[in-house]
């Protein structure tokens, strides 16, 4: 996905075509680390991409949203660190069953740990699967949910809300951390002279103003700048900062078009910079969308007019439209100010047929290749 200049820290990349399993990978540029939202079929992702992941956010445990977890584990298995997985109620059991499906008789102390968080309406149930112990599960203390935030790092936070897909499904809002931005006009209005004190102010900003003590600033007196102590440093920053809403990414897949789901989508995703949303059916198949608890194009049009994203990336179209998947874009009627991003039909490599397999070179002791499927 091209960098459209809307994100400061985050670089979203959608590793799927219109008909592929949904895979949203978000790179954190300052650290080179990343997070993954849903992990269906992802064998086409580079090993270094998978090894850079700090957390995986799973909307629900249908195969096309979770089957790639094994591929991630294959590449991070021997790394001595913790991979965090967030999902709806029951996700820890699904992950546990996956891990229990393999033999772990050759474990080492340096193997990774999988920390799983089940997001409930009022709490987060925490589980741990330690590689050095063969990934046997351990239930950790339960965390009360104070708000929608389920994950926070230096450069981003992730909020989640439970919706309905005939089972609990999570929708997500990933928001960049605020940047240190000053308004020169406000500086002049406060008669503040730029200087080394701004470096200290920036340090306190990124430390969330936890550091106490006054800050010495330079105030314009008409002659030589005078040094003045400011006790409420956070309030000073609020007076001179350039107010910019941090960029955000909304993600929803799969949800039914119900009043409760609409209310939760509006509450969590209103005004997002980029909306990545399933659009499984065309408008003519609205009844199929209702039966399967998915969205169709008319549903997505209504949602976009409601939450008004700056960018829309529709995805996860049903393979029943394989003959002409680009029809989806013809049916989208977006509000003013919302731009459409289009995907190719497929991002994953086409599976090979037996006749397309490369022929190996036969060595001297193999004179008769008859009977080999090459």
């Amino acid at each position: 996905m091209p960098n459209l200049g809307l994100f400061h820290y985050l670089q979203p990349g959608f590793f799927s075509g219109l008909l592929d399993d949904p895979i949203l990978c978000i790179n954190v540029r300052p650290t080179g680390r990343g997070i993954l939202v849903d992990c269906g079929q992802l064998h086409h992702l580079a090993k270094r991409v998978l090894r850079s992941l700090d957390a995986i956010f799973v909307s629900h445990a249908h195969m096309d949203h979770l089957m790639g977890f094994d591929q991630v584990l294959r590449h991070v298995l021997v790394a001595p660190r913790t991979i965090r997985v967030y999902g709806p109620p029951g996700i820890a059991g699904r992950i546990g069953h996956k891990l229990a499906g393999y033999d772990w008789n050759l474990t080492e102390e340096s193997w990774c740990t999988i920390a799983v968080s089940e997001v409930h309406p009022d709490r987060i149930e925490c589980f741990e699967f330690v590689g050095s112990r063969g990934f046997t599960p351990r239930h950790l203390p339960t965390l009360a949910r104070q708000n929608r935030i389920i994950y926070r790092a230096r450069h981003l936070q992730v909020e989640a809300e439970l919706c309905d897909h005939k089972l609990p499904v999570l929708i997500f809002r990933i928001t960049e951390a605020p940047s240190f931005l000053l308004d020169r006009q406000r500086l002049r209005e406060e008669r503040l002279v730029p200087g080394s004190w701004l470096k200290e102010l920036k340090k306190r900003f990124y430390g969330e103003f936890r550091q106490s003590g006054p800050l010495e600033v330079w105030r314009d007196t008409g002659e030589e700048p005078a040094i003045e102590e400011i006790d409420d440093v956070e309030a000073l920053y609020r007076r001179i900062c350039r107010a910019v809403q941090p960029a955000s990414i909304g993600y929803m897949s799969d949800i039914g078009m119900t009043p409760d789901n609409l209310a939760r989508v509006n509450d969590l995703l209103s005004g997002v910079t980029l909306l990545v949303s399933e659009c499984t059916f065309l408008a003519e198949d609205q009844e199929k969308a209702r039966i399967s608890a998915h969205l169709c194009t008319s549903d997505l049009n209504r949602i976009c007019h409601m939450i008004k994203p700056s960018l829309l990336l529709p995805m996860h179209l049903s393979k029943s439209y394989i003959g002409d998947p680009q029809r989806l874009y013809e049916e989208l009627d977006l509000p003013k100010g919302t731009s459409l991003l289009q995907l190719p039909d497929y991002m994953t490599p086409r599976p090979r047929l037996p006749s397309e397999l490369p022929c190996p070179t036969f060595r001297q002791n193999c004179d008769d290749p008859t009977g080999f499927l090459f």
Side-chain angles (χ1 to χ4, degrees), residues 218-239:
W218 298 354
R219 187 85 70 178
D220 184 7
T221 62
E223 299 177 356
E224 290 293 322
I227 296 177
E228 179 181 326
E229 286 192 349
I230 302 294
D231 292 320
D232 194 339
V233 180
E234 184 174 0
L236 169 68
Y237 176 75
R238 301 301 172 206
R239 293 199 301 273

Side-chain angles (χ1 to χ4, degrees), residues 103-172:
D103 290 323
W104 304 111
N105 59 306
L106 301 176
T107 60
E108 298 181 13
E109 287 299 319
S110 61
W111 282 19
C112 74
T113 294
I114 308 297
V116 181
S117 297
E118 291 188 350
V119 181
H120 295 254
D122 60 341
R123 69 193 190 280
I124 297 178
E125 297 289 348
C126 303
F127 300 82
E128 185 179 68
F129 300 83
V130 179
S132 61
R133 298 200 295 263
F135 294 107
T136 53
R138 186 163 70 99
H139 194 177
L140 302 177
T142 299
L143 302 176
R145 287 190 73 183
Q146 307 297 331
N147 48 43
R148 291 193 179 100
I149 299 173
I150 61 171
Y151 177 84
R152 178 177 281 160
R154 164 67 181 81
H155 298 97
L156 62 90
Q157 71 176 24
V158 180
E159 299 169 272
E161 185 65 82
L162 280 162
C163 288
D164 181 63
H165 180 51
K166 299 188 176 181
L167 51 69
V169 59
L170 287 175
I171 60 174
F172 303 102

